[in-house]
Each structure stands twice: as structure tokens, then as C-alpha cells.
Amino acid sequence: MAKGNAMIAALDIGTKSVTTLIAQKSDDGTFSIIGKGVADNNNGLIAGDVVDVQATAAAIRDSVAEAEQISSKRIKKVYVGISGEGVRSINSHGVIQVRGQEVAKTDMNRVIEQAKIITLPDDREIISVEIGKYTVDGKAGIVNPIGMACRRLEVDVLIITMPKTMFRNLYKAVEDAGFFVNGVVVSAIASSWAVLEDDEKNIGVAMVDIGDGVADIAIYQNGAPVYVAVMPMGGKFITDDISKVMKIPPAEAERVKCKYGNVRPEYVSDSEVFDTVVIGTNAPTTKKVKQLATVITPRIEEILIEVKKKLMESQKENIIQSDIVLTGGSAQLKNIQCVAEDTLEQTVRIGIPKIDEPSIGLNDVLTSPGFATAVGIIRHFSCRKQMEIAKRNGWLARVADIFRNFFE
Ligand SMILES: Nc1ncnc2c1ncn2[C@@H]1O[C@H](COP(=O)(O)OP(=O)(O)OP(=O)(O)O)[C@@H](O)[C@H]1O
Ligand SMILES: [Mg+2]
């Protein structure tokens, strides 16, 4: 188990469920998960956006309470994953003249501040600035330019924005639940921290987290994110199709999808059946697994076609050199990898969240793709550098500003 007392709590506020993870982290940034809570988010979110603050706050409280009970710890501060179809990313570039002989920390801060100067509509807020590589007097690809002789310093950044109202609702749900937002990270980036390897991020990779209400997409090149998008599509669409076409109640449609769902009908024999009930009457009935697969398949194909379009729209598709990494709860659909390879016309692997150390009694659950965002939030904020960035960004002050601007 990781030595040290520092605790870190992650909140993944998803359309289907709110997941809390409590981790104990060591000084070297490794961590051990000691608590987990999952609570149904009953209609609190639509397509990743909070539409019912009180319902979401209740789910947050339930989820945290479960994690606290398992870990025997109490938490007050949380790190939160942010998603929603209003999330956008903008590539920006900063250039400054270095004042001294060599690059100092202040120059790095200055060039980043310069890159952050963009025109934003009044209703949008910068959620995070992901820092890419530096260019020192024309020499590109520098990770840490401090101490280098330099006259002209440049940096590439990815600025992530979302509507202020959406951010405010999410923040309010966490606050109403009784917790303090210590830092936020966009879910697409959090999931990438959980499932991508550094080598993949360097040579160029796309991560797609298909959840319940949204699909979060991130593209990385040279070790840094260069594109983030959120599509309002996910497993909920599939459950709704099953319910409507097969006349099964929604909760039952969700159960049979997870238990018998398959996206290769041709692999399923005609004789495979499952017991279920009829919508309205709840009368018992038997249905074919093959029929279930024929309902699910076109919808997952549609979602993947939209993912493909989004990757093309990003104009970064040509930099994706390694496998596309699929994760999120819906990545557990049987045979989704084959269908994704056919649709995306690229090799695909399923991303399982990476855990540093065995987490007693929790490992089985935590190695499922549905935990990618929550594990990624822990991983992201366990990294000391990210902690410093969160502190430097002064979350409290920034949030106060957002609210002040919002109410003005
Ligand atoms: N074994 C499974 N087979 C198919 N689908 C599954 C399976 N397990 C979970 N899912 C689906 O995964 C989805 C939930 O995934 P996840 O927990 O990543 O979503 P979320 O984070 O709550 O929502 P979002 O990120 O979209 O806001 C649900 O639609 C659920 O039905
Ligand atoms: Mg999610």
C-alpha cells in the first residue's frame, strides 16, 4: 500500500452514476484506492450536463458516503471530472521575448498567460489549459525549457471551455452535497490519464470514453492533448432502443443489455434466449439473444460513425498513429472492439484503468472501463505537477469570479 497520509478523493459525476474514489497517495505520486462508492444519478444529468442540481447532490452524497464507509475515512474536499456536450477545445499558441539570458519559471508562466489570451463569448468559461511542448528559438518539442539559453520562447496549449451555467450547476451540486471543489479536470483528459500509455500519447492516439449519456473524446500528440470533444451519445440510447423495440421496461432493458448484449448478431446462435418481462404488464416472457444483438448493433454503429466524423472534423485524424483506445461503461459491450475497428477503420483496443498498487478488495471492480474517469481523476491529481497547477490556478478565486460574473 502507498505510504503516506495524503488522501485524495475523486468525483466522476456521470449520466448513469456518480462514482467516488478515495485514494491514499505516496510522495512519488503512486496511489492506492481505499474507498469506492457508486450511486445511481436518477435523472440528475442529461448528456453530461446537470439538469437537476438537487438530484445530483443527493447522488453525490450517497456515492461519497459509500466510499467513506469502505475506507473508514471522512472527506471534505473533492477533485471533480467535468463533461457535457458544451465542452469545447481551442488550440492556442503563446510567444514571448525572454528578458534574461535564459528561460526562468516566470517566462514559462508568461508565455502560458500569453497563449491564454483568446476571445471567448461572454457565456463561456475556461475550465483548463493543457500545456503542450515549448519551442526555444525555433527548436520545437521541448518539455522543460528552464535554464535554456533563449531569446524567443513559444508554447502550444489546448484551452478547454464550457458554458458558465453548466459549470455553475455542476459546482453547485457538489457544494450542496456538502463538499469543496479542490480542482477540476475535463473527463476526456481524466480517462486518458487512466487508460493511455505515455508512448501512445507521444506518437499520437485517440481515446474515446463511451458512457451513458456522452462520449468523451481526446486526441494526444507529442505527449499532450491537442483536441477534446464531447458527443451527446452513449449507452442510454441503446437501452432506450431495447426498451422500445423489444417492449421491455427500461430498467430491465438496462439489465439484459449488460448481461446478454452483443454487437455481432452473426456470432449468436438462434437457440440462445433470455427470460425477461413485458413492459406495462410485467408478464414473464422469453426473448432471443440474437434479436437483442440486432437491436443494439445499429445504434452502436451509429455512435461509432459519429465518433469517426468527430475525429475527422478535428483535422487531427492523421496524427492518430497507435490504436484508438475505447473505454467507459459501454466499452464492455461484447465484440465492440471488432465493430469499432470496422467502423473507425483503425485498430482499436479496450482501455482498462491502470491502478498503481493493489487496492484490497476493490481491484475487480476498478479494472472495469466504467471506472476510467474516476481512476484518471485520481491519477491526474496524484501527480504533483498537476496539484501545483490546480493550486496556481487558484480554484477558489476562479470559482468566485465565475459566480460574480454570472450574477452580474
Ligand atoms: N457489461 C456492459 N455491457 C454493455 N453496456 C454496459 C455494461 N456495463 C455498463 N454498461 C453501460 O455503460 C453505461 C455507463 O457507463 P459510464 O459509467 O461510463 O457512464 P457515466 O459516466 O455514468 O455517464 P456519462 O459519462 O455518459 O455521463 C451505461 O449505459 C451502461 O448500461
Ligand atoms: Mg462518464
Side-chain angles (χ1 to χ4, degrees):
M1 183 171 284
K3 290 192 183 68
N5 297 320
M7 264 199 326
I8 178 161
L11 258 191
D12 168 19
I13 303 171
T15 309
K16 169 119 186 74
S17 47
V18 176
T19 302
T20 304
L21 291 181
I22 302 178
Q24 193 138 27
K25 89 181 182 66
S26 63
D27 292 340
D28 63 3
T30 59
F31 61 85
S32 176
I33 308 282
I34 56 170
K36 168 194 72 86
V38 179
D40 271 1
N41 195 0
N42 291 319
N43 305 321
L45 264 67
I46 293 179
D49 291 329
V50 175
V51 290
D52 184 335
V53 172
Q54 291 320 311
T56 305
I60 293 171
R61 270 193 296 273
D62 290 350
S63 165
V64 172
E66 188 189 335
E68 285 183 332
Q69 207 213 345
I70 291 175
S71 63
S72 305
K73 304 274 183 201
R74 298 278 298 167
I75 60 165
K76 273 275 146 232
K77 300 175 192 167
V78 289
Y79 289 92
V80 182
I82 288 200
S83 186
E85 61 174 314
V87 169
R88 302 272 182 280
S89 69
I90 304 160
N91 298 99
S92 184
H93 187 78
V95 187
I96 58 159
Q97 295 300 319
V98 172
R99 287 178 188 142
Q101 302 279 314
E102 53 187 49
V103 179
K105 185 96 180 116
T106 48
D107 296 312
M108 283 169 75
N109 291 341
R110 263 197 318 127
V111 74
I112 292 166
E113 286 307 314
Q114 219 263 345
K116 277 162 70 176
I117 302 171
I118 54 165
T119 314
L120 263 189
D122 279 353
D123 59 348
R124 293 190 81 81
E125 167 70 10
I126 294 179
I127 293 304
S128 72
V129 178
E130 302 296 322
I131 298 153
K133 296 270 163 75
Y134 293 85
T135 301
V136 173
D137 287 339
K139 180 150 188 57
I142 313 275
V143 177
N144 180 6
I146 284 190
M148 288 179 75
C150 171
R151 295 172 73 87
R152 180 184 159 98
L153 182 65
E154 298 171 57
V155 70
D156 287 315
V157 300
L158 186 71
I159 298 176
I160 298 169
T161 71
M162 79 184 288
K164 283 178 183 166
T165 47
M166 289 303 139
F167 180 68
R168 179 182 176 270
N169 289 337
L170 187 86
Y171 184 87
K172 189 161 188 314
V174 180
E175 201 183 41
D176 283 5
F179 303 100
F180 175 88
V181 180
N182 230 12
V184 298
V185 55
V186 176
S187 299
I189 288 179
S191 296
S192 300
W193 273 77
V195 301
L196 297 183
E197 300 297 332
D198 287 347
D199 287 347
E200 291 174 320
K201 288 185 184 173
N202 284 328
I203 67 167
V205 67
M207 187 290 314
V208 183
D209 178 320
I210 308 181
D212 190 56
V214 293
D216 297 290
I217 300 175
I219 302 179
Y220 278 73
Q221 188 188 32
N222 295 329
V226 290
Y227 179 76
V228 161
V230 181
M231 288 170 30
M233 300 180 108
K236 189 172 176 355
F237 285 39
I238 301 170
T239 304
D240 290 349
D241 288 348
I242 297 169
S243 179
K244 280 182 202 145
V245 177
M246 299 185 78
K247 314 230 177 318
I248 298 175
E252 177 61 5
E254 173 72 19
R255 184 189 74 84
V256 301
K257 175 184 80 173
C258 295
K259 188 139 191 230
Y260 306 102
N262 199 321
V263 291
R264 277 278 198 231
E266 63 273 29
Y267 291 0
V268 183
S269 104
D270 256 337
S271 58
E272 281 182 62
V273 292
F274 60 90
D275 292 330
T276 184
V277 291
V278 179
I279 198 163
T281 62
N282 265 345
T285 181
T286 302
K287 302 268 183 193
K288 289 193 173 202
V289 177
K290 203 180 188 84
Q291 190 200 358
L292 181 68
T294 55
V295 174
I296 297 175
T297 305
R299 184 60 91 171
I300 199 73
E301 280 171 351
E302 187 200 350
I303 294 173
L304 290 163
I305 287 167
E306 291 304 315
V307 168
K308 170 94 180 156
K309 279 193 203 152
K310 214 51 178 180
L311 295 176
M312 284 164 76
E313 253 174 59
S314 74
Q315 299 186 338
K316 309 251 185 270
E317 211 202 1
N318 59 343
I319 65 173
I320 305 169
Q321 297 298 326
S322 64
D323 294 352
I324 291 179
V325 181
L326 218 58
T327 192
S330 296
Q332 294 171 95
L333 271 168
K334 240 176 259 134
N335 294 315
I336 192 171
Q337 186 181 353
C338 323
V339 173
E341 288 189 343
D342 290 351
T343 317
L344 300 171
E345 298 171 286
Q346 204 146 340
T347 50
V348 168
R349 75 169 175 85
I350 304 299
I352 306 291
K354 297 178 284 178
I355 312 258
D356 289 329
E357 296 193 36
S359 306
I360 300 150
L362 300 173
N363 242 15
D364 289 359
V365 197
L366 293 178
T367 48
S368 131
F371 284 92
T373 307
V375 171
I377 297 169
I378 298 275
R379 203 168 252 290
H380 180 79
F381 285 108
S382 293
C383 169
R384 189 174 300 168
K385 186 167 151 247
Q386 297 302 332
M387 286 284 216
E388 281 167 11
I389 291 170
K391 264 193 212 138
R392 199 175 65 218
N393 281 351
W395 265 98
L396 249 189
R398 295 196 53 225
V399 165
D401 275 354
I402 292 165
F403 285 170
R404 197 168 37 248
N405 293 338
F406 185 81
F407 287 118
E408 263 168 10

